[in-house]
């Protein structure tokens, strides 16, 4: 049952993300902020993984978004889920 609920939640998040993308907003989560990772700790984790952050913000779609560089020095714009830190959308420039 727990696995089915998780799959349903993943499906709903995917559908929500797809619907939001049609309207120009990347949606990362509908979870309450109390379930989000601490912003400073999350940024520290990214820096430890080799990211260079020029700008960090919380978007209207409830994402942690960075502008900067990945560990391979590629210029990136990345939207992360603030709940689990997974990449929802990544653009390389």
């Amino acid at each position: 049952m727990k696995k089915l609920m998780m799959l349903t939640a993943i499906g709903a998040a995917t559908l929500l993300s797809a619907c939001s993308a049609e309207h120009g907003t990347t949606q990362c989560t509908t979870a309450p902020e109390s379930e989000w990772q601490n912003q400073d700790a999350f940024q520290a984790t990214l820096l430890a993984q080799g990211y260079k952050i020029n700008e960090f913000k919380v978007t209207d779609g409830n994402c942690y978004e960075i502008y900067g560089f990945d560990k391979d020095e590629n210029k990136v714009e990345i939207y992360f889920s603030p709940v689990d830190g997974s990449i929802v959308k990544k653009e390389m420039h």
Side-chain angles (χ1 to χ4, degrees):
M1 181 71 173
K2 195 174 198 178
K3 192 172 188 178
L4 177 61
M5 288 175 60
M6 184 176 201
L7 290 173
T8 302
I10 291 169
T14 302
L15 178 61
L16 181 58
S17 179
C19 291
S20 297
E22 290 176 14
H23 296 96
T25 302
T26 299
Q27 182 75 37
C28 292
T29 188
T30 57
E33 286 189 39
S34 61
E35 295 179 17
W36 295 14
Q37 296 182 41
N38 174 277
Q39 291 182 34
D40 293 331
F42 182 72
Q43 289 179 69
T45 299
L46 293 178
L47 293 171
Q49 292 173 358
Y51 288 93
K52 293 181 182 157
I53 302 170
N54 293 338
E55 183 180 351
F56 177 91
K57 65 181 185 177
V58 178
T59 69
D60 291 337
N62 296 327
C63 303
Y64 284 166
E65 180 183 16
I66 67 161
Y67 294 90
F69 297 88
D70 65 15
K71 64 182 173 72
D72 297 320
E73 296 294 322
N74 297 307
K75 190 173 182 180
V76 294
E77 175 183 353
I78 306 174
Y79 294 78
F80 296 90
S81 166
V83 177
D84 64 10
S86 62
I87 294 175
V88 175
K89 180 179 175 184
K90 180 177 181 178
E91 295 179 15
M92 297 175 69
H93 303 279

